[in-house]
């Protein structure tokens, strides 16, 4: 009986340390992700991506996509803030299979977009604003071809499992992407969907207060 209580006491003492260590690992990964974005270290961002992504899309094809996302292309350019946005990390959850552990990171991401081959008159601006709003982006035009964009309630999933060799990797939440559904397990997809819905619900309540 004494052995049992000693083991129980050890378990109670150890669990908070383990949980704290996991959250510290996630925080370090989050800080690195944002640093890589600001430094435009695309190779490092790819190395943080879930390896299943590259079974579907080769890394060589992913690189120009990421560059286009953060640098722009012939059609538009993107300028990001020079500082890490405020973010919130959830607790670390355990999945049902494959030694899955995961956490959700939420944040607002701001950027400036400049269109190189297109200009917007006042009527076009009025049409563009609600279209972008429907995509979760608040837009303020700064000129006829430039706008400030605030993407609210962004959700990024940090996870580790057998397929990642128990190392933390990153998957951005995108309910409209078939790739997203092929990479994650069904229980994680369901958890992410619920977390995102709750996030949007809380944001909605704030706007009504």
């Amino acid at each position: 009986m004494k052995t049992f209580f000693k083991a129980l006491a050890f378990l109670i003492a150890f669990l908070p340390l383990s949980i704290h260590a996991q959250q510290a690992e996630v925080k370090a990964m989050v800080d690195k992700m944002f640093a890589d974005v600001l430094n435009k270290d695309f190779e490092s961002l790819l190395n943080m991506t879930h390896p299943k992504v590259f079974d579907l899309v080769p890394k060589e094809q992913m690189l120009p996509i990421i560059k286009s996302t953060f640098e722009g292309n012939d059609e538009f350019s993107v300028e990001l803030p020079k500082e890490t946005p405020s973010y919130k990390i959830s607790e670390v959850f355990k999945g049902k299979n494959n030694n899955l552990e995961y956490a959700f990171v939420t944040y607002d991401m701001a950027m400036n977009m400049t269109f190189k081959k297109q200009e917007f008159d006042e009527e076009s601006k009025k049409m563009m604003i609600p279209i972008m709003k429907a995509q979760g982006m608040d837009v303020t035009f700064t000129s006829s071809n430039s706008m400030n964009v605030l993407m609210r309630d962004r959700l990024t999933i940090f996870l580790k499992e057998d397929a990642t060799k128990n190392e933390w990797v990153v998957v951005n939440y995108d309910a409209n992407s078939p790739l997203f559904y092929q990479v994650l397990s069904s229980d994680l997809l369901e958890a992410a969907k619920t977390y995102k819905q709750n996030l949007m619900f809380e944001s909605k309540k704030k706007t009504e207060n």
Side-chain angles (χ1 to χ4, degrees), residues 87-137:
Y87 60 82
K88 179 181 178 182
I89 303 175
S90 74
E91 65 178 283
V92 177
F93 302 97
K94 286 187 176 293
K96 296 178 181 178
N97 301 302
N98 303 318
N99 296 311
L100 172 65
E101 296 181 39
Y102 59 91
F104 300 117
V105 177
T106 55
Y107 52 93
D108 294 341
M109 176 65 79
M111 67 174 65
N112 177 271
M113 293 183 65
T114 299
F115 295 87
K116 300 176 181 179
K117 299 179 180 180
Q118 185 176 6
E119 293 191 355
F120 299 90
D121 57 23
E122 291 304 315
E123 184 176 351
S124 298
K125 291 177 183 178
K126 290 180 181 179
M127 292 177 59
M128 190 74 167
I129 290 173
I131 292 174
M132 299 289 279
K133 183 76 172 180
Q135 300 296 320
M137 292 178 276

Side-chain angles (χ1 to χ4, degrees), residues 127-146:
M127 292 177 59
M128 190 74 167
I129 290 173
I131 292 174
M132 299 289 279
K133 183 76 172 180
Q135 300 296 320
M137 292 178 276
D138 292 339
V139 170
T140 303
F141 280 90
T142 56
S143 71
S144 60
N145 69 330
S146 180

Side-chain angles (χ1 to χ4, degrees), residues 10-206:
F10 176 79
L11 183 62
I12 292 172
F14 175 76
L15 277 176
L17 294 176
S18 177
I19 293 171
H20 178 75
Q22 289 174 320
Q23 289 181 323
E25 289 177 1
V26 174
K27 185 181 186 307
M29 285 285 291
V30 175
D31 290 337
K32 184 179 187 311
M33 178 187 72
F34 284 123
D36 288 342
V37 170
L38 296 179
N39 294 328
K40 297 183 179 180
D41 190 342
F42 306 117
E43 291 285 352
S44 182
L45 286 171
L46 283 177
N47 290 336
M48 296 174 68
T49 302
H50 198 298
K52 285 184 179 179
V53 171
F54 304 123
D55 293 336
L56 303 168
V57 182
K59 185 178 291 188
E60 295 75 18
Q61 293 182 21
M62 285 291 294
L63 186 58
I65 295 174
I66 291 181
K67 282 187 175 182
S68 176
T69 300
F70 293 111
E71 287 189 333
N73 50 42
D74 293 340
E75 300 293 329
F76 64 88
S77 62
V78 176
E79 182 179 351
L80 296 171
K82 301 301 182 183
E83 58 186 20
T84 299
S86 299
Y87 60 82
K88 179 181 178 182
I89 303 175
S90 74
E91 65 178 283
V92 177
F93 302 97
K94 286 187 176 293
K96 296 178 181 178
N97 301 302
N98 303 318
N99 296 311
L100 172 65
E101 296 181 39
Y102 59 91
F104 300 117
V105 177
T106 55
Y107 52 93
D108 294 341
M109 176 65 79
M111 67 174 65
N112 177 271
M113 293 183 65
T114 299
F115 295 87
K116 300 176 181 179
K117 299 179 180 180
Q118 185 176 6
E119 293 191 355
F120 299 90
D121 57 23
E122 291 304 315
E123 184 176 351
S124 298
K125 291 177 183 178
K126 290 180 181 179
M127 292 177 59
M128 190 74 167
I129 290 173
I131 292 174
M132 299 289 279
K133 183 76 172 180
Q135 300 296 320
M137 292 178 276
D138 292 339
V139 170
T140 303
F141 280 90
T142 56
S143 71
S144 60
N145 69 330
S146 180
M147 64 175 72
N148 290 328
V149 180
L150 179 62
M151 297 182 289
R152 296 188 181 275
D153 299 328
R154 297 283 293 173
L155 175 60
T156 298
I157 305 166
F158 287 74
L159 69 139
K160 61 179 180 178
E161 58 181 347
D162 291 342
T164 70
K165 298 180 180 179
N166 202 37
E167 294 186 0
W168 290 102
V169 297
V170 177
V171 176
N172 284 319
Y173 181 89
D174 185 356
N176 297 317
S177 171
L179 187 68
F180 177 68
Y181 292 92
Q182 295 181 62
V183 170
L184 302 182
S185 63
S186 58
D187 62 317
L188 180 48
L189 286 169
E190 186 65 31
K193 177 183 176 181
T194 300
Y195 197 90
K196 179 67 173 182
Q197 288 175 337
N198 290 339
L199 183 67
M200 295 175 67
F201 179 68
E202 291 300 321
S203 294
K204 177 65 175 178
K205 287 199 300 184
K206 289 179 182 178

